[in-house]
């Protein structure tokens, strides 16, 4: 016989309640039971009232002078400084690569006239347009920290305008030196003197470009690095003048002595002006 399965439990007869999540809470319900089920076994958590405390800056001598938010002071370097430094470093590397200049040979040529002649001949540095790039690179590297120290809020176009002006003065200065050589009939000595200056300026620009990364982006000690670079420039300036004296005064002559006197004047005036500007700052 087939088994007859008849349930004897009537589920519809048992009481059943389900929490209605879609309906809004009753306005009459107390705040302490809002969001709690009626059949919860946990105790009701009382809502802590908001405590209002008096401000510690009320009736204080140092009252705020503004009612809006203040911008945080920027302590880092602007982006154009990094871009300019990278461009100058890239141009220096490109110049060394194109002219095939060995740094060790360049260092030796700063104290040896024969090494300077070999460097000029092997690297094809006989033209003035080729050598003036060394001086312009030096101007661009020196102008960058000078602008940041004298005018910290200057933008990139101020730097470009200052570098262009100083580059023009650098070219005029070399023109004055060549004119003095023509006046005193010492063209060969003056040409060798200018070539020696170009080599010094190229090496100084190389060292400065490497040191400025530490000056601008070293967390502490950036000013110490800048002072060290300034001392290095001063030593190179004295060595360059000594080398110029050796070149000009190789043959004892009254006219050449006066030529060296005028050349020292031309060299010292820009250095004294720059030193005066930094001392006033």
């Amino acid at each position: 016989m087939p088994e007859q399965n008849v349930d004897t439990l009537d589920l519809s007869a048992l009481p059943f309640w389900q929490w209605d999540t879609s309906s809004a809470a009753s306005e009459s319900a107390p705040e302490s039971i809002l969001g709690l089920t009626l059949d919860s076994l946990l105790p009701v958590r009382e809502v802590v009232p908001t405590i209002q405390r008096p401000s510690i800056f009320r009736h204080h001598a140092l009252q705020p002078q503004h009612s809006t938010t203040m911008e945080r002071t920027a302590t880092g370097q602007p982006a154009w400084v990094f871009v300019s430094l990278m461009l100058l470093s890239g141009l220096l590397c490109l110049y060394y690569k194109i002219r095939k200049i060995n740094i060790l040979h360049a260092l030796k040529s700063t104290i040896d006239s024969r090494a300077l002649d070999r460097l000029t001949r092997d690297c094809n540095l006989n033209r003035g347009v080729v050598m003036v790039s060394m001086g312009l690179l030096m101007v661009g590297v020196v102008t960058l920290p000078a602008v940041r120290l004298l005018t910290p809020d200057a933008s990139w176009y101020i730097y470009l305008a200052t570098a262009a002006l100083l580059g023009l003065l650098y070219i005029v200065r070399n023109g004055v030196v060549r004119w003095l050589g023509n006046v005193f009939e010492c063209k060969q000595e003056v040409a060798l003197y200018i070539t020696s200056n170009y080599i010094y300026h190229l090496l100084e620009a190389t060292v400065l470009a490497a040191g400025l990364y530490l000056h601008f982006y070293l967390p502490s000690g950036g000013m110490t690095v800048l002072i060290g670079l300034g001392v290095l420039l001063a030593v190179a300036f004295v060595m360059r003048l000594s080398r110029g004296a050796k070149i000009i005064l190789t043959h004892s002559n009254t006219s050449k002595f006066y030529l060296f006197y005028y050349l020292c004047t031309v060299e010292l005036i820009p250095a004294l002006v720059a030193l005066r500007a930094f001392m006033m700052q």
Side-chain angles (χ1 to χ4, degrees), residues 214-222:
L214 298 177
H215 166 63
F216 286 123
Y217 301 107
L218 194 65
S220 59

Side-chain angles (χ1 to χ4, degrees), residues 215-257:
H215 166 63
F216 286 123
Y217 301 107
L218 194 65
S220 59
M223 187 56 63
T224 304
V225 173
L226 187 62
I227 293 175
L229 293 176
V231 172
L232 185 62
L233 285 180
V235 173
F237 179 77
V238 173
M239 292 179 61
R240 186 163 57 83
L241 283 183
S242 301
R243 179 70 183 279
K246 183 179 179 181
I247 293 174
I248 300 298
L249 302 178
T250 301
H251 302 284
S252 178
N253 194 323
T254 304
S255 62
K256 291 184 178 180
F257 175 78

Side-chain angles (χ1 to χ4, degrees), residues 94-102 119 122-125 127 130 134:
L94 184 63
Y95 190 86
Y96 277 103
K97 182 68 176 179
I98 293 177
R99 291 296 154 190
K100 299 179 181 179
I101 300 177
N102 191 315
L119 182 68
D122 297 341
C123 300
N124 194 17
L125 300 177
R127 293 177 298 173
V130 175
M134 303 180 186

Side-chain angles (χ1 to χ4, degrees), residues 120-141:
T120 304
R121 181 183 65 254
D122 297 341
C123 300
N124 194 17
L125 300 177
N126 298 317
R127 293 177 298 173
V129 178
V130 175
M131 290 190 297
V132 76
S133 302
M134 303 180 186
L136 295 180
L137 287 173
M138 173 65 179
V139 170
V141 175

Side-chain angles (χ1 to χ4, degrees), residues 30 36 73 75 156-157 180 182 189 211 214 222 237 240 253 262:
L36 300 177
T73 304
T75 57
W156 60 271
Y157 53 86
L180 290 175
N182 294 333
E189 289 83 356
L214 298 177
F237 179 77
R240 186 163 57 83
N253 194 323
Y262 287 120

Side-chain angles (χ1 to χ4, degrees), residues 6-273:
V6 179
D7 293 331
T8 59
L9 182 60
D10 187 5
L11 297 177
S12 61
L14 297 178
F16 179 74
W17 291 274
Q18 183 178 4
W19 182 262
D20 188 5
T21 57
S22 61
S23 61
S26 177
E27 297 180 358
S28 61
E31 187 179 1
S32 61
I33 63 172
L34 287 179
L36 300 177
T37 59
L38 296 177
D39 57 346
S40 175
L41 300 179
L42 298 177
V44 177
R45 178 176 296 178
E46 298 293 339
V47 177
V48 179
T50 303
I51 301 176
Q52 299 290 339
R53 300 183 183 276
S55 175
I56 61 175
F57 298 101
R58 184 176 299 175
H59 305 295
H60 197 272
L62 300 177
Q63 294 296 322
Q65 303 297 328
H66 54 85
S67 59
T68 58
T69 58
M70 298 181 61
E71 295 183 0
R72 180 177 297 179
T73 304
T75 57
Q77 299 295 333
W80 67 266
V81 174
F82 180 75
V83 173
S84 302
L85 196 55
M86 290 294 294
L87 287 176
L88 291 171
S89 302
L91 290 175
L92 282 169
C93 295
L94 184 63
Y95 190 86
Y96 277 103
K97 182 68 176 179
I98 293 177
R99 291 296 154 190
K100 299 179 181 179
I101 300 177
N102 191 315
I103 296 183
L104 295 179
H105 294 168
L107 287 173
K108 188 176 180 180
S109 66
T110 58
I111 57 176
D112 190 357
S113 298
R114 293 185 178 180
L116 179 60
D117 294 337
R118 289 194 300 268
L119 182 68
T120 304
R121 181 183 65 254
D122 297 341
C123 300
N124 194 17
L125 300 177
N126 298 317
R127 293 177 298 173
V129 178
V130 175
M131 290 190 297
V132 76
S133 302
M134 303 180 186
L136 295 180
L137 287 173
M138 173 65 179
V139 170
V141 175
V142 172
T143 306
L144 186 59
V147 170
R148 291 297 299 162
L149 286 177
L150 298 178
T151 54
D153 299 331
S155 301
W156 60 271
Y157 53 86
I158 300 296
Y159 164 69
L160 290 181
T162 306
L165 178 61
L166 293 180
L168 181 60
L169 293 177
Y170 182 87
I171 295 175
V172 172
R173 167 187 169 276
N174 285 343
V176 172
V177 172
R178 292 187 184 277
W179 176 75
L180 290 175
N182 294 333
V183 170
F184 290 95
E185 298 180 354
C186 300
K187 296 181 180 180
Q188 185 177 359
E189 289 83 356
V190 169
L192 185 60
Y193 172 77
I194 293 176
T195 303
S196 175
N197 288 347
Y198 280 136
I199 299 300
Y200 269 95
H201 291 161
L202 180 63
L203 294 175
E204 291 172 8
T206 304
V207 175
L208 284 178
L212 287 181
Y213 286 98
L214 298 177
H215 166 63
F216 286 123
Y217 301 107
L218 194 65
S220 59
M223 187 56 63
T224 304
V225 173
L226 187 62
I227 293 175
L229 293 176
V231 172
L232 185 62
L233 285 180
V235 173
F237 179 77
V238 173
M239 292 179 61
R240 186 163 57 83
L241 283 183
S242 301
R243 179 70 183 279
K246 183 179 179 181
I247 293 174
I248 300 298
L249 302 178
T250 301
H251 302 284
S252 178
N253 194 323
T254 304
S255 62
K256 291 184 178 180
F257 175 78
Y258 280 106
L259 173 62
F260 176 70
Y261 174 78
Y262 287 120
L263 290 179
C264 287
T265 304
V266 174
E267 292 284 352
L268 289 175
I269 288 177
L272 293 177
V273 171

